[in-house]
Amino acid sequence: MRTIDHIYINGKFVKPHGTEVMDIINPANKEVIGRVTLGDEQDTRDAIAAAKAAFKTFAKTSIEERAHMLQRLHDVIIEKFDLLNEAAVEEYGAPAAATAGRTMYAAKNFLHNLDVMKEFQFEKRIGKAKVSLEPLGVIGLITPWNANYTHISTKLAPAIAAGCTVVIKASELSAIQTQVIAECFHEAGIPAGVINFVNGRGDVVGAELTRHPDVAMISFTGSTNVGRIIARDGAATMKRLVLELGGKSPNVILDDADYQKAIPLAVMTAFSNSGQACHVGSRLIVPEHRLEEVKQLVIKTVEGIKVGNPWEEGTFIGPMVSQKQYETVQHYIHLGVEQGAELIIGGSGHPEGLDNGYYVKPTVFANVTMDMTIAKEEIFGPVLSILSYKTEEEAIAIANDTIYGLSAYVSSSNLERANDVASQIVSGRVLINGLYDEPKAPFGGFKQSGIGRECGIYGLESYVEPKTILGHDAVPQ
Ligand code: NAD
């Protein structure tokens, strides 16, 4: 049983002013495994004040000093690798193997940003002007529960590289993971006040960060609905914003694809991170004349997927993070049936023998049309919709018929054709014939999937503001 009754401000773990206590529940068995005392507005203001004070000196640190810090932040994650993974499996319910991959990704984020920072031109000449790219100031980092360490590191690493100080508000559902990573960062020896953590509710701590005049930017990952609130409330103080929001990503399978490979991969893509990921390909778009074959391949793949205890080897889908998320997924499964989609596997309720946790059945609907709610809204669980098309133009139109534009997938045996289709899909990322990552390439969304980009040079640029100086080399008369 973990008791988390400290937040991290100005280099110290301190008792919060807030007094609300929340249970932390293991989603795999619904047992209470901890209690967290949530911070409040006062705690948030204290953390912002510490970050503001630290910014004065941190903004002036050299590239070499910050390179050392980024290296240390990487190293402490590696040192505490097992502890971090354990916390993620227990508190979030993510299958262990996937968790380890994500923790490693979090560590590497610091090294990728170190490389980017070394090559970044913090000062440029444009004509007669000297343009310096200055750190923005105090940044509020607000993250969701579905990959706690990844989101924190994706935002923290460029902030450090740029010379910004931060207040981190992770999800209230990730309190144990946040505590463990805060302890790691404490050991990294970063100057006091540069990194601060406040546990708390979004509408309390997140809202205070959003409206506080001393916070220059909010870097947020989460739902499109909350992104809208942050954009609206941040406008009063002209907050800079990076918003990484929801998705309803299309997976277009062209008629010449290798279906034996493409369809199992499409199912895995839809159900990765137990379906609780922003980039999952939750709309599988297939040629009408191959629909029956697709359905059989999908059923066969889903039957082979292991759902269950996240610690067990081979588990691909763990429980949903919370009772609320379990209910959300059930709600969408009911809607799918009600609105006339064809349920080909899965359905409502728990998988057999797994009613002790927030487990759902991996579920697939065929004959889904774009007017159905399950085709439009992000479900954030292992529910896949199959839509069919007659022509390639129609496939592209279906892919783009969404308010989102975060990720997309295309399969074809003809690369030229696949690239042509990819170029017509309105999406921040398009993956062709497989799953790849390039951690220094921009990540983010078109349309209502967000504003701005993370990762690599595009990510770092969000944390600096250009200042133009003219006459810097003029000889005084
Ligand atoms: P959420 O939007 O409910 O919460 C995200 C964070 O925002 C949490 O820390 C929460 O406490 C905080 N928050 C809530 N209300 C707030 C407010 N009024 N002001 C400021 N902060 C507030 O999202 P979630 O349920 O934690 O995560 C799931 C969502 O995250 C999905 O929609 C998913 O698509 C999105 N997501 C996006 C990406 C991406 O990179 N685009 C990655 C992962 C998750």
Side-chain angles (χ1 to χ4, degrees):
M1 183 76 152
R2 296 282 301 242
T3 302
I4 296 167
D5 55 0
H6 285 74
I7 51 179
Y8 187 68
I9 298 182
N10 208 21
K12 292 194 185 72
F13 287 95
V14 295
K15 286 262 182 203
H17 175 266
T19 52
E20 185 186 349
V21 176
M22 200 181 101
D23 284 343
I24 303 166
I25 293 168
N26 179 342
N29 57 21
K30 303 187 191 172
E31 278 171 17
V32 176
I33 51 170
R35 287 205 173 85
V36 53
T37 307
L38 300 177
D40 64 8
E41 287 91 345
Q42 184 57 52
D43 295 310
T44 315
R45 288 192 284 272
D46 291 347
I48 295 168
K52 186 181 176 185
F55 180 69
K56 282 191 196 129
T57 41
F58 191 65
K60 297 193 173 69
T61 48
S62 65
I63 300 282
E64 290 69 30
E65 286 170 293
R66 299 205 297 279
H68 174 72
M69 292 180 209
L70 288 167
Q71 182 68 52
R72 281 294 298 144
L73 289 163
H74 162 270
D75 296 350
V76 289
I77 292 185
I78 300 298
E79 283 158 26
K80 293 264 172 74
F81 198 72
D82 292 341
L83 266 182
L84 287 157
N85 288 338
E86 217 169 281
V89 177
E90 250 201 287
E91 184 178 44
Y92 171 48
T99 299
R102 275 193 290 274
T103 307
M104 185 53 80
Y105 188 92
K108 292 259 175 71
N109 258 335
F110 292 104
L111 299 187
H112 296 316
N113 277 276
L114 198 166
D115 292 345
V116 171
M117 178 187 70
K118 280 185 172 164
E119 284 168 20
F120 194 75
Q121 263 188 292
F122 283 95
E123 195 176 294
K124 300 176 187 176
R125 296 295 155 121
I126 300 180
K128 294 195 290 287
K130 179 169 85 176
V131 178
S132 62
L133 294 156
E134 314 233 324
L136 263 178
V138 176
I139 316 291
L141 311 184
I142 304 179
T143 58
W145 41 260
N146 73 325
N148 184 55
Y149 311 139
T150 309
H151 296 307
I152 290 176
S153 64
T154 301
K155 297 175 186 310
L156 175 61
I160 299 286
C164 296
T165 59
V166 304
V167 177
I168 302 171
K169 195 221 92 62
S171 169
E172 48 278 41
L173 296 178
S174 311
I176 297 179
Q177 297 161 80
T178 304
Q179 174 74 16
V180 181
I181 202 159
E183 286 167 9
C184 278
F185 293 164
H186 179 64
E187 287 184 18
I190 308 299
V194 171
I195 303 174
N196 305 275
F197 280 91
V198 183
N199 290 316
R201 294 195 185 275
D203 56 358
V204 178
V205 175
E208 183 63 21
L209 281 171
T210 304
R211 62 179 168 247
H212 201 290
D214 289 338
V215 175
M217 177 171 98
I218 297 289
S219 176
F220 170 77
T221 297
S223 60
T224 294
N225 276 343
V226 173
R228 282 189 198 105
I229 296 173
I230 291 174
R232 184 195 66 202
D233 295 351
T237 50
M238 286 299 161
K239 289 274 181 297
R240 276 66 180 150
L241 294 174
V242 172
L243 302 176
E244 294 294 344
L245 310 175
K248 191 74 193 176
S249 301
N251 192 342
V252 178
I253 313 289
L254 296 179
D255 52 6
D256 62 355
D258 177 348
Y259 279 55
Q260 297 294 327
K261 277 194 197 146
I263 301 302
L265 187 69
V267 173
M268 296 320 211
T269 306
F271 294 169
S272 77
N273 201 3
S274 308
Q276 300 177 124
C278 53
H279 59 266
V280 295
S282 54
R283 291 185 298 140
L284 181 58
I285 302 169
V286 303
E288 198 177 73
H289 70 279
R290 297 193 71 169
L291 180 60
E292 283 314 310
E293 179 190 354
V294 169
K295 279 166 39 180
Q296 294 319 311
L297 281 167
V298 165
I299 292 169
K300 192 168 156 222
T301 310
V302 176
E303 281 171 349
I305 289 178
K306 181 167 167 184
V307 185
N309 186 334
W311 283 113
E312 270 174 30
E313 212 180 315
T315 296
F316 188 70
I317 299 181
M320 300 295 93
V321 70
S322 62
Q323 174 76 30
K324 184 169 166 241
Q325 193 62 20
Y326 171 82
E327 283 164 10
T328 301
V329 175
Q330 297 302 315
H331 165 72
Y332 280 109
I333 293 174
H334 289 300
L335 273 182
V337 173
E338 223 173 83
Q339 295 180 357
E342 178 195 354
L343 179 69
I344 63 166
I345 189 161
S348 58
H350 296 281
E352 215 184 306
L354 287 174
D355 48 6
N356 56 331
Y358 304 129
Y359 296 97
V360 301
K361 294 181 192 161
T363 296
V364 184
F365 288 100
N367 289 313
V368 176
T369 48
M370 275 313 296
D371 55 335
M372 295 180 187
T373 311
I374 55 167
K376 287 194 246 192
E377 296 183 7
E378 183 180 48
I379 299 176
F380 229 58
V383 180
L384 174 64
S385 294
I386 306 178
L387 300 103
S388 41
Y389 65 86
K390 286 193 177 67
T391 61
E392 196 172 293
E393 291 66 37
E394 195 191 354
I396 294 163
I398 294 171
N400 289 333
D401 185 10
T402 168
I403 61 164
Y404 296 112
L406 189 62
S407 292
Y409 307 83
V410 179
S411 290
S412 168
S413 57
N414 178 338
L415 258 190
E416 201 181 324
R417 203 176 156 207
N419 274 290
D420 181 48
V421 170
S423 73
Q424 297 178 66
I425 298 180
V426 183
S427 170
R429 240 174 218 214
V430 186
L431 308 188
I432 295 174
N433 287 334
L435 299 180
Y436 324 86
D437 188 32
E438 172 41 69
K440 289 184 193 163
F443 184 83
F446 280 67
K447 301 192 269 183
Q448 296 185 35
S449 283
I451 295 177
R453 291 290 181 271
E454 297 199 295
C455 304
I457 191 164
Y458 292 89
L460 182 49
E461 278 175 349
S462 309
Y463 291 77
V464 292
E465 188 101 83
K467 180 196 274 179
T468 298
I469 300 180
L470 283 158
H472 59 97
D473 54 358
V475 183
Q477 300 295 313

